[in-house]
Amino acid sequence: MYVVGFVAAVPTANREAFRLHAEAAAVIFKEHGALQVVECWGTDVPEGTVTSFPMAVKRKDDETVVFSWITWPDKASSDAGMGALMTDPRMSPETNPMPFDGQRMIFGGFEAIVVH
């Protein structure tokens, strides 16, 4: 299994817009081979003094941290699916605009080594 994780700061007022954006994107991710898409709205995300989720995404006072992940069968499937997603017209900013500042989103791909 391969996992791509994301952390972003979303304007709290945009919660429903974010949910709708994520719902639409999840359908497209799965069409391109994702096994599962999980989107989580932060409810207990403390500020750190050295590092933290809020610091990593430069969360503003009127924003909420979201944590998301997508599972794929393997890295090759992820690479192919993410590549297809980037060219899918349903994910264009005109069709499905991001209701948050994507420049402050952090992400990475991870090989699963323990799954229970």
Side-chain angles (χ1 to χ4, degrees):
M1 179 190 311
Y2 192 75
V3 178
V4 178
F6 306 86
V7 179
V10 177
T12 303
N14 287 358
R15 180 180 170 143
E16 183 60 13
F18 175 79
R19 191 188 67 74
L20 292 171
H21 169 82
E23 285 277 347
V27 169
I28 300 166
F29 276 114
K30 291 189 87 173
E31 285 178 11
H32 291 297
L35 300 174
Q36 182 182 43
V37 178
V38 179
E39 300 282 354
C40 303
W41 190 261
T43 59
D44 185 15
V45 186
E47 292 286 343
T49 55
V50 176
T51 188
S52 67
F53 283 129
M55 291 169 70
V57 295
K58 299 181 180 176
R59 185 190 62 82
K60 298 174 184 171
D61 289 342
D62 64 342
E63 294 177 325
T64 298
V65 173
V66 298
F67 176 57
S68 311
W69 66 91
I70 304 166
T71 58
W72 301 88
D74 50 45
K75 186 175 185 324
S77 299
S78 174
D79 290 347
M82 293 297 279
L85 185 91
M86 293 303 148
T87 61
D88 191 306
R90 296 171 293 173
M91 288 301 296
S92 73
E94 297 79 29
T95 304
N96 191 7
M98 290 192 307
F100 61 94
D101 181 359
Q103 292 182 324
R104 291 186 286 136
M105 178 175 64
I106 59 173
F107 61 92
F110 303 84
E111 179 183 334
I113 59 171
V114 175
V115 178
H116 260 271

